[in-house]
Amino acid sequence: MSAFIIPVGQETSNPSLLNVADHIEHMKANNKVFWNVGFPGASMSVIRKSPWKYDDISTGYFYIYKTKKISYEFEIDYVKQIMELDFPNIQQYVPKFRLKFFEPISSKYSPNDYAFLLNKITPLQPMKNLNHFRLLKSGKPVKKIRYYAIVEDL
């Protein structure tokens, strides 16, 4: 089985974007929550349709840069590019602090980003080191992540 690891913690002017607990709170109120991940090499000015290739993966983990630990596990409902979403029908799952990436009228709209609809986020106990996981393609331990990594699940 495979899983994703999404890094959390690159600097931003909005700390809630990187706060998993804020996403859990939104999920408690709405049953699900979106997390968006940038498309490697994407520019917001160039629309690049790239359908998600890994629909068979339903589990993921958040790697927290600050602690250098895999601290949360999540379950994935689905992954699509933001441009594929019907915004009026999904906006209740988008936390207010992420709306600017999902609203087509926003100057920060990121149509190329992948939108992960999560239906469960739980703390991982015990937390894991990044190198505990192995990359799916090579079998080598994960050393660093920029956007996401596809790994062998635990």
Side-chain angles (χ1 to χ4, degrees):
M1 264 178 76
S2 308
F4 296 107
I5 299 177
I6 296 175
V8 178
Q10 295 156 339
E11 294 300 315
T12 180
S13 59
N14 185 343
S16 286
L17 284 174
L18 307 177
N19 189 326
V20 176
D22 287 352
H23 288 77
I24 291 171
E25 286 304 309
H26 186 87
M27 183 183 295
K28 285 179 184 175
N30 297 281
N31 297 318
K32 298 179 184 185
V33 67
F34 271 110
W35 189 287
N36 57 302
V37 175
F39 185 93
S43 163
M44 288 191 306
S45 62
V46 177
I47 304 296
R48 184 174 162 195
K49 188 152 176 69
S50 182
W52 192 245
K53 302 174 193 172
Y54 308 103
D55 287 333
D56 58 321
I57 301 176
S58 60
T59 303
Y61 301 91
F62 287 123
Y63 172 70
I64 311 299
Y65 277 120
K66 191 173 188 178
T67 62
K68 303 220 181 304
K69 296 284 184 185
I70 306 258
S71 303
Y72 295 91
E73 182 175 10
F74 56 82
E75 291 179 10
I76 303 165
D77 192 326
Y78 64 77
V79 181
K80 294 183 178 183
Q81 277 188 284
I82 289 178
M83 72 175 87
E84 297 177 282
L85 300 173
D86 181 11
F87 182 72
N89 291 322
I90 57 92
Q91 68 184 17
Q92 73 270 21
Y93 304 127
V94 181
K96 187 163 53 168
F97 48 84
R98 282 197 181 270
L99 275 175
K100 65 185 174 188
F101 303 111
F102 285 79
E103 287 181 306
I105 61 169
S106 168
S107 64
K108 297 284 185 182
Y109 175 58
S110 299
N112 297 323
D113 280 9
Y114 289 117
F116 286 70
L117 183 59
L118 309 179
N119 54 33
K120 186 176 182 181
I121 303 173
T122 54
L124 189 61
Q125 293 298 331
M127 291 183 270
K128 306 283 185 198
N129 291 321
L130 191 57
N131 64 4
H132 183 88
F133 290 85
R134 301 205 171 272
L135 294 168
L136 187 63
K137 284 188 177 181
S138 69
K140 294 180 180 179
V142 180
K143 293 181 181 176
K144 63 181 180 177
I145 303 173
R146 185 160 181 205
Y147 297 100
Y148 60 85
I150 300 171
V151 298
E152 297 170 5
D153 202 358
L154 299 176

